[in-house]
Amino acid sequence: MRVCWIRRSSIGCCRVLEPVALASAPVPGAALGRSAHRCSPPTGAAMPNDLLTVLLLLAAAIVMFAINRPRVDAVALIMLVLLPFTGVLTMSEALAGFSNPNIVLIGAMFVIGDALARTGVARSIGDWLVRYGGDSPWRLLVLLMLAVGFLGSVMSSTGVVAIFVPIVLRMASRSGLAPARLMMPMAYAALISGTMTLVATSPNLVINYELVRGGADGFTFFSFTPFGVPILVLGTLYMLAVQRWLGRQAADTGAEPTRPELRQLVERYGLGNREYRVRVQPGSPLLGHRLGELDLSGKIGARVIVIERGVGRSRRLLPRTDDTELEAGDVLLIDMDDDAADIESLTRTYGVELLPRAGSYYTDRPQDVGLVEVMLPYQSAFVGKTVAEAEAMAQFELSLVGMRRRRGALEPRHLREKTLKVGDTLLLAGPWRAIRRLQKGGEDLVLLNLPREFDEYLPAAKRAPYAVLTLLVVIVLMATGIVPNVQAALIGCLLMGLFRCIDLDQAYRSIQLKSLIMIVGMMPFALALDRTGGVDMAADFLVAVLGASSPHLILGVLFAITVLLGMFIVNTANAVLLIPVALAVAEELGASPYPFAMIIALAASSAFMTPVSPVNTLVTTAGNYRFVDFIRIGLPLTLMVMALSVALVPWLLPLYP
C-alpha cells in the first residue's frame, strides 16, 4: 500500500489534507472512490448559488475576451471589482495576485527582454538571417523558425515577433517571396518558444506557481526544453510542407509599410554621389576651431552631417553644432553639392584625408545616421528665410540635405541660398537621437516621413556583449537554483542597468502593465472556483467520464479543452483557469501533478488556430491573412502537437512516480 494525500473540498467544511490508502499498483481510475471522502455541502447551503454567480461572471469575462470589448486588462479589472461582491472572496483575497512573486518575475523578464532588443542582440540575429538566409525559401524558413524559437525562450514572444516583422519583410523583399510565406511560420515559432523554458511565457510561470503552492517542488528552468525542442522541430517540418500554400492569397499583397526606406529617400533626393567621409589629419587648420567659425557650408558647400570620434568600443557620434571643436582623427560625414572640385579643395586646403567609399553611407550605416522628411507649415518661423538663415536660427544637430517643392526635388547645388516657402518638404540628415526629438512636434516643422530604419535604431547597440553576459548569468542562476527565479531575474535587471543596457525610465516603460493586470485580475477566479466547488466538480466530471480510460486520453482531453478555450481568451488567463482543474484531476487519480501541469502549459502555447493570440495578431495584417487561414494551417499543426505532447509527457514525466 502507499499513501496519497487527497485535498478535501472547502464546501461546507475546513480545508485539510487527508491520507487515503491507495493500491501499490495504481491504475488511472484507482482514485475514483475518492469522492466518498469528499464533504458534501450542508443541506440548504447557499454555495451552489455562489458557484452559479462565479460561473456567470466567468462566462461574461470569456465573452468579453472573445469579442475584445473592452480590452483584456479592463475585463480583468472589472472581474477584480465584482468578485468580492459575490461574498466568496474578500477584497484582500482578490488583490492577493499583486503580491505574487511571479508577477514580479514576469515584469523583470519584460525588462531583460527589452534590454536585449535595445542593445541589438535580437536584431543581430535577424540581420544574420538576412545575410546568410540566401534566396532559398526553405532555408529562410528553417533559419527563421529556429532563431525565433530559441530567442523567444528568454524573451517575450510578442516582443520577438514585433522585432522580427520588419526583418521578415526585408527577407521576403530580398528573396522575392510573399511576406505571407514567412509571417505565419515566424508567429508559430514564437508561440512554440513558450514551450522551451520556464520563463519563456507567462502561463508557464503561473502553472509553476500553482504547483509550488500545492506542495510540489515545481519545474526547473529547463524542464520544458525536452518537450519544446521536438515541438519546434515538428512545427518547422510542418511549415516547410505547407509553405507553398501560404502565399497564394497573399502573394505580392502583404501589407508592407508605406514608409520609405533610406535608399528610397537617397534616390528621391539624388544623394547617391554627394556624401563623403574625411579624416582630420594632425596639423590640419581645422584643429581647435569650432564648426561655426569654420563655416564650411558657406565657403565650399560642405555640410557636416555627423562627427565620429574614437575607434572600436570607444567610438562615439558627436552632434553637429556650431560649438563642436574638431580633433585629430575625427571622421566627418559631409554632404557636398556633387562637385569634385569642392571635395578636392576641402582635402587640399583643410588637411583632411578622403576615405574610400563603401557604398552609400546612409544605407550602409543605418544605426549611425538617419534621414527624415519634414514640411514647413504656415506659421513656421523659417518661411521666407534662406536655408543658411534657417540653419543659423535653428541651431539643429540635423543638416538640410534636400528640398522638394511641389512634386520634384530641387537642384542640390547652392542649396543654402534657396528661400524657404510654405509647404516645402525638407530632407534632414543626422543622428537618430536628434531625429527622435522631432517626434515631439513643434510650430516650425511638421514631421512627414520617418524611414522604416527608424524602427530598427538601437540606442544601446554598443552594450550588446554586456546584455548577452547578463542573460547568461540569469540563465545559470535559474538553472542551478542558487537563488529563486524571481531574485535571479531582478539581479539581471540590476546588471542591465549597471551596464547601461537600459535605464530606469526605459525599464519602467518596457513592463507590459496591461499583461500583468490581466493576470492579476484573473487569478481570483481560480480561488473562487475552488472555494465554491467548481474546480472539484469539473475534476469529478472529467474523472467520471474518463476515469477508466487510458491516461493518454485524459491528457489529450485536457490539451483539447485548453486549446479550444484558448481560441477565445488569451493564453495566460486560460492557464489560470485550467491549471486548478488539471491538478484536481491528478489528485482524483492519485497521480503525479507534473504531467497534468505540463500538458496545460504545452496546450496554452499551442494557439495556432486563431488570430486572437497577440502573437498571431501582429502578423495578421503584415501577412494579409484571413481568420480561415489560421484554421486551415493551424488545425493540423495543433493535432500533431497534441499527439506529440500526449506521447512525450507520460514518458518523460511518469504519471505514477
Side-chain angles (χ1 to χ4, degrees), residues 347-363:
T347 57
R348 183 176 59 253
T349 305
Y350 292 99
V352 296
E353 175 191 3
L354 180 62
L355 300 178
R357 288 190 181 186
S360 175
Y361 188 97
Y362 299 110
T363 56

Side-chain angles (χ1 to χ4, degrees), residues 630-646:
F630 288 96
I631 298 292
R632 181 169 55 92
I633 302 297
L635 178 58
L637 179 59
T638 301
L639 295 176
M640 287 188 287
V641 170
M642 180 173 72
L644 181 61
S645 300
V646 170

Side-chain angles (χ1 to χ4, degrees), residues 271-611:
L271 305 182
N273 297 315
R274 288 170 44 192
E275 74 271 16
Y276 296 89
R277 293 177 70 233
V278 297
R279 179 181 290 115
V280 180
Q281 298 296 306
S284 168
L286 298 177
L287 298 178
H289 291 283
R290 293 180 299 172
L291 285 178
E293 299 172 352
L294 295 170
D295 190 22
L296 295 176
S297 58
K299 293 177 180 178
I300 58 173
R303 291 174 287 275
V304 177
I305 306 301
V306 73
I307 303 167
E308 302 176 29
R309 181 166 294 170
V311 295
R313 297 206 174 277
S314 64
R315 174 182 174 274
R316 64 189 189 279
L317 297 182
L318 300 182
R320 182 210 61 82
T321 64
D322 286 345
D323 294 330
T324 304
E325 290 190 8
L326 298 178
E327 298 179 0
D330 284 351
V331 175
L332 311 181
L333 171 65
I334 57 176
D335 178 83
M336 303 291 291
D337 284 346
D338 199 16
D339 189 335
D342 290 340
I343 192 65
E344 291 175 3
S345 174
L346 175 67
T347 57
R348 183 176 59 253
T349 305
Y350 292 99
V352 296
E353 175 191 3
L354 180 62
L355 300 178
R357 288 190 181 186
S360 175
Y361 188 97
Y362 299 110
T363 56
D364 286 353
R365 300 196 178 191
Q367 282 302 314
D368 293 342
V369 177
L371 299 170
V372 61
E373 283 186 311
V374 298
M375 186 187 70
L376 291 180
Y378 177 79
Q379 71 273 20
S380 174
F382 301 140
V383 173
K385 308 292 184 183
T386 65
V387 170
E389 291 171 337
E391 288 180 343
M393 290 172 55
Q395 291 293 307
F396 277 168
E397 292 181 31
L398 301 173
S399 296
L400 193 152
V401 295
M403 182 189 302
R404 292 174 65 85
R405 185 164 291 164
R406 299 182 181 90
R407 293 188 177 183
L410 299 183
E411 170 64 38
R413 293 179 183 276
H414 310 296
L415 194 62
R416 299 180 78 252
E417 301 171 7
K418 305 291 184 183
T419 300
L420 298 173
K421 297 182 180 181
V422 174
D424 281 351
T425 298
L426 312 179
L427 184 69
L428 306 180
W432 285 116
R433 62 176 179 271
I435 292 175
R436 185 180 293 275
R437 287 197 286 270
L438 286 179
Q439 288 184 299
K440 298 178 181 178
E443 295 183 353
D444 295 322
L445 297 174
V446 175
L447 193 150
L448 286 184
N449 260 327
L450 279 170
R452 298 179 198 173
E453 287 83 354
F454 177 78
D455 295 333
E456 302 173 27
Y457 167 58
L458 304 173
K462 294 181 180 179
R463 322 307 296 175
Y466 302 105
V468 173
L469 175 63
T470 299
L471 176 63
L472 292 176
V473 169
V474 172
I475 291 175
V476 169
L477 290 176
M478 289 184 175
T480 57
I482 297 175
V483 296
N485 288 338
V486 64
Q487 189 175 1
L490 290 174
I491 290 172
C493 292
L494 292 175
L495 288 176
M496 289 292 191
L498 178 66
F499 292 138
R500 292 182 295 160
C501 300
I502 194 170
D503 62 33
L504 275 176
D505 290 336
Q506 295 155 354
Y508 286 128
R509 286 195 294 268
S510 70
I511 298 174
Q512 298 177 19
L513 193 59
K514 174 182 175 181
S515 298
L516 298 184
I517 292 296
M518 187 272 296
I519 297 171
V520 169
M522 293 303 294
M523 277 183 169
F525 267 116
L527 179 58
L529 289 171
D530 187 27
R531 185 167 291 176
T532 56
V535 171
D536 290 323
M537 286 177 60
D540 287 343
F541 174 78
L542 287 175
V543 172
V545 174
L546 304 171
S549 304
S550 162
H552 293 78
L553 178 60
I554 298 174
L555 293 175
V557 169
L558 287 172
F559 189 103
I561 292 173
T562 306
V563 167
L564 290 174
L565 188 58
M567 294 184 67
F568 307 102
I569 65 175
V570 292
N571 60 354
T572 306
N574 196 9
V576 168
L577 295 175
L578 289 176
I579 184 58
V581 175
L583 295 181
V585 169
E587 287 186 356
E588 289 278 4
L589 299 176
S592 167
Y594 290 102
F596 292 85
M598 181 60 72
I599 204 72
I600 298 296
L602 298 179
S605 292
S606 301
F608 306 120
M609 293 190 295
T610 172

Side-chain angles (χ1 to χ4, degrees), residues 644-655:
L644 181 61
S645 300
V646 170
L648 287 177
V649 168
W651 179 41
L652 298 176
L653 298 173
L655 285 166

Side-chain angles (χ1 to χ4, degrees), residues 117-179:
R118 289 177 56 82
T119 54
V121 174
R123 186 76 61 193
S124 296
I125 296 175
D127 291 341
W128 180 85
L129 289 175
V130 173
R131 194 161 53 248
Y132 295 105
D135 298 329
S136 170
W138 71 266
R139 186 189 307 160
L140 285 173
L141 185 144
V142 170
L143 291 176
L144 176 65
M145 291 192 68
L146 293 180
V148 171
F150 284 102
L151 187 60
S153 67
V154 291
M155 287 182 65
S156 161
S157 56
T158 307
V160 171
V161 171
I163 290 171
F164 270 79
V165 164
I167 293 173
V168 170
L169 287 172
R170 288 208 308 271
M171 294 170 66
S173 176
R174 174 181 171 182
S175 59
L177 294 173

Side-chain angles (χ1 to χ4, degrees), residues 11 41-58 83 85-88 528-529 531-534 537:
I11 304 179
T43 304
M47 279 298 178
N49 291 333
D50 289 341
L51 175 59
L52 179 62
T53 303
V54 172
L55 290 176
L56 288 174
L57 286 177
L58 177 59
L83 275 171
F85 284 112
T86 64
V88 176
L529 289 171
R531 185 167 291 176
T532 56
M537 286 177 60

